[in-house]
Amino acid sequence: MIRKFTLLILLFIGFQSVVKAQTEDSVFISLPFGTDTTCPGDQLTFTAIHTNPTMTVVYQWYHNNVFTGVTLDTFYTTAPVDGDSVYARIFFTNSLGFPDSAQSNTIIVHRSSAIPPRVLASLIIGSNPDCPGHPLTFEAYPINGGPGPIYQWLINGVPQIGSDSLTFTRIFSANDTVSVRMISNSPCRTFDTAYSDGIRVIHDSLTAGITISVTDNPICLGNADTFTAVVTNAGLGWTISWYVDTTFIPGAVGPVYITDSLYNDAHVYAILHAPDPCVINDTTISNVIIMSVLPLTTPMITVTMIQGSNPGCLDSTVTFRATVSGFGTGATSNWYINGVPVATDTNVFRSTFADGDLLTFRMRVTDGNCYSADSITTPDILMERDSTPVAPLVSLIGNLLVANTAGTYIWYFNGSVIPGASGQTFHPNSLGFYQAIRTDGDCPSAPSNTIYISLLDINDVSSSDIKVYPNPTSGMVNIDLAGSTGGVKMDVYSILGQGILHHEITGAHHEADLSHLPAGNYFIVLRDGAGNAATFKVQLAK
């Protein structure tokens, strides 16, 4: 039962859709006025009007149900006789997307061998009543006038010499009666001559009027606005002058005044000048429009970096905040990197950046109020980023912790910063874990390896009693042990803590030859027999 009911609903919907399509997509045909009854053999003009002009249709005209071969929207024919029928069909794709067709109304042709001729007269240029001195134009409209009717215009029943065309123009006197006589040459006319009804010309004085209107009120300061004047009964030759607060606006003399210079409480009006003698009031002032001009709010944006640094590191995040004012309610915003939107409707943006990225922030007003600019885009912020340096390698050389590259460092003991420790080397004085980070570039390095110091019972040899020179050296290093008689061990280490040379110093003076080593920094560690040690950094320059 439910399935049957559903099917009925679908059928009903489909039927309604078809009815709607047929209603929207239809055609109507008509004959010109006065040709509903014509002489046999006269040409008839049928016109089809499609009710949905946005659609593409194909026309087919039928005479007595036989397709004529005509596929235009107008059908010209002399063939029908009295009682014949004419209709049109259109073929199209309906609003449901299916091929469809529609048939017009049917017109029965009326032919007669005896039709009385008629002629109508109508005013086509000018107005009636009107003031004296204004020309009026009348036109004749023939019915069954034949292929070449003859016209004669009359004033007060008197034929006017030379006025024998379809139209008649003249300046008339008050109470003149205008009519037209037509002589028909239609083959089926019942008589030759027909007269129109007379039209009486009425003269009257005019009272000119002017009314002005404005496109927008209120408006925003600086916006253009359009004032339009409507003039009535002003006769001929009238002009308009525009005023703002009694000040004449040069050049504004037509019915339209456009300006972007209005201010708040400005009084705008127009004066109509009507020199036509039949106008009673030659000067008329319009209504006054008091303008409400709203001041402009200037939106402002300030973007600041609230976390991170620039220049900075590639893998470090940076946070920016946009501080905005003057954007009203409902404003929309976007963050852009290199012109591509990356965040919407938030004033805080946090991200990592590539070197050379351009960051911008844009806001748009949406509430329709008055602003000096509809949108504001901040200047580009150039992001300067650098890669994070490789973590340094820390070695224990003698009694010194040594980083493998020269630079500025932060040293850590058990995870806490050691105040004042910023060199490439550090002398540990407590048991625990030591680590370093290089900080002299734009980006701090990753943390070094961790070295655990578990023994600190090696005493320092007094460095004031030992001289190591020259430093820098090109190869030979002199070591003077002051008053020592020898028994000192000398070890030379690379910056990575690799042992390179090992000698026993037996006297108070020793020469260490480093000339076979590559240029760079080396450490000389001296240990005496009591276990005391001293470490010296030497630069080998070649």
Side-chain angles (χ1 to χ4, degrees):
M1 183 64 183
I2 294 176
R3 293 178 61 186
K4 291 182 178 179
F5 181 70
T6 303
L7 180 60
L8 288 174
I9 292 177
L10 293 175
L11 289 173
F12 177 76
I13 292 174
F15 175 75
Q16 292 295 320
S17 299
V18 171
V19 171
K20 180 179 180 182
Q22 291 178 345
T23 301
E24 293 179 348
D25 309 330
S26 58
V27 62
F28 175 80
I29 65 171
S30 63
L31 284 168
F33 173 74
T35 60
D36 53 338
T37 301
T38 55
C39 300
D42 281 356
Q43 179 174 278
L44 301 178
T45 302
F46 296 87
T47 302
I49 299 175
H50 177 214
T51 59
N52 191 345
T54 62
M55 296 185 63
T56 301
V57 301
V58 175
Y59 296 90
Q60 289 187 1
W61 288 91
Y62 290 81
H63 175 202
N64 292 335
N65 299 316
V66 177
F67 177 46
T68 63
V70 177
T71 57
L72 303 175
D73 59 353
T74 303
F75 175 39
Y76 302 95
T77 179
T78 60
V81 298
D82 189 52
D84 282 358
S85 65
V86 175
Y87 63 85
R89 292 186 62 84
I90 56 172
F91 297 85
F92 54 91
T93 300
N94 65 26
S95 54
L96 301 177
F98 298 105
D100 205 346
S101 64
Q103 182 172 317
S104 73
N105 55 303
T106 298
I107 293 180
I108 302 301
V109 175
H110 298 286
R111 299 289 203 182
S112 176
S113 59
I115 304 175
R118 290 188 297 154
V119 63
L120 306 176
S122 63
L123 178 66
I124 60 172
I125 298 177
S127 59
N128 190 31
D130 198 358
C131 59
H134 288 181
L136 303 178
T137 298
F138 294 86
E139 182 176 12
Y141 189 89
I143 301 174
N144 198 30
I150 298 174
Y151 301 102
Q152 176 62 63
W153 290 92
L154 304 95
I155 298 178
N156 302 322
V158 178
Q160 304 299 300
I161 298 175
S163 299
D164 54 1
S165 62
L166 187 67
T167 61
F168 178 43
T169 301
R170 182 165 295 190
I171 296 176
F172 298 91
S173 301
N175 297 316
D176 277 352
T177 299
V178 180
S179 61
V180 62
R181 179 180 68 204
M182 180 189 75
I183 299 175
S184 172
N185 66 348
S186 171
C188 66
R189 63 189 183 278
T190 56
F191 48 84
D192 294 337
T193 304
Y195 290 85
S196 72
D197 293 335
I199 299 176
R200 188 166 67 93
V201 176
I202 300 174
H203 283 173
D204 194 5
S205 296
L206 302 178
T207 301
I210 180 171
T211 303
I212 66 171
S213 60
V214 65
T215 302
D216 297 304
N217 190 20
I219 63 168
C220 298
L221 181 65
N223 282 10
D225 214 349
T226 301
F227 296 83
T228 303
V230 176
V231 175
T232 57
N233 298 324
L236 302 176
W238 54 266
T239 59
I240 295 176
S241 301
W242 290 91
Y243 292 81
V244 177
D245 286 339
T246 73
T247 299
F248 170 67
I249 307 301
V253 295
V256 177
Y257 168 46
I258 302 175
T259 178
D260 59 1
S261 303
L262 295 174
Y263 45 86
N264 191 46
D265 201 40
H267 289 54
V268 181
Y269 60 93
I271 296 180
L272 171 65
H273 307 279
D276 196 309
C278 71
V279 177
I280 296 174
N281 50 330
D282 58 354
T283 301
T284 305
I285 300 177
S286 74
N287 55 305
V288 178
I289 296 178
I290 302 175
M291 294 300 302
S292 177
V293 180
L294 305 178
L296 302 180
T297 299
T298 301
M300 299 182 65
I301 303 175
T302 302
V303 174
T304 55
M305 184 170 55
I306 61 175
Q307 181 271 324
S309 61
N310 187 36
C313 304
L314 283 171
D315 56 354
S316 63
T317 59
V318 184
T319 304
F320 291 90
R321 173 183 288 131
T323 302
V324 302
S325 62
F327 281 90
T329 59
T332 61
S333 65
N334 286 94
W335 292 91
Y336 297 84
I337 296 179
N338 301 326
V340 178
V342 291
T344 301
D345 294 335
T346 176
N347 67 330
V348 176
F349 178 61
R350 183 173 184 265
S351 180
T352 58
F353 296 88
D355 187 49
D357 278 350
L358 297 176
L359 176 69
T360 52
F361 179 75
R362 180 185 299 169
M363 285 202 72
R364 299 177 181 83
V365 297
T366 59
D367 58 8
N369 292 328
C370 297
Y371 299 92
S372 59
D374 292 335
S375 66
I376 299 291
T377 302
T378 62
D380 294 334
I381 298 175
L382 174 63
M383 302 303 297
E384 300 179 53
R385 318 311 289 166
D386 196 1
S387 58
T388 302
V390 177
L393 177 65
V394 174
S395 303
L396 179 63
I397 301 177
N399 58 352
L400 287 181
L401 292 171
V402 180
N404 63 328
T405 56
T408 303
Y409 285 84
I410 297 176
W411 288 89
Y412 294 84
F413 172 65
N414 291 338
S416 298
V417 175
I418 302 173
S422 60
Q424 185 183 1
T425 64
F426 178 71
H427 186 286
N429 53 17
S430 300
L431 301 179
F433 296 91
Y434 289 85
Q435 197 176 36
I437 292 177
R438 184 175 171 181
T439 62
D440 54 335
D442 289 337
C443 298
S445 70
S448 72
N449 58 307
T450 300
I451 292 183
Y452 177 66
I453 302 299
S454 61
L455 180 64
L456 291 172
D457 56 355
I458 299 176
N459 297 320
D460 292 339
V461 175
S462 176
S463 60
S464 62
D465 296 333
I466 302 174
K467 294 182 180 179
V468 178
Y469 63 93
N471 190 11
T473 179
S474 61
M476 300 304 295
V477 177
N478 296 302
I479 302 173
D480 288 339
L481 301 177
S484 174
T485 58
V488 174
K489 292 182 178 180
M490 180 196 75
D491 297 301
V492 179
Y493 294 90
S494 71
I495 197 72
L496 298 177
Q498 298 170 320
I500 298 173
L501 294 176
H502 305 282
H503 289 287
E504 183 81 22
I505 300 176
T506 58
H509 179 79
H510 180 75
E511 286 187 352
D513 186 1
L514 305 182
S515 61
H516 63 286
L517 300 175
N521 294 319
Y522 296 89
F523 291 89
I524 297 177
V525 179
L526 302 176
R527 294 181 179 87
D528 62 15
N532 300 316
T535 304
F536 299 88
K537 181 180 179 183
V538 176
Q539 182 181 2
L540 176 60
K542 292 185 176 183

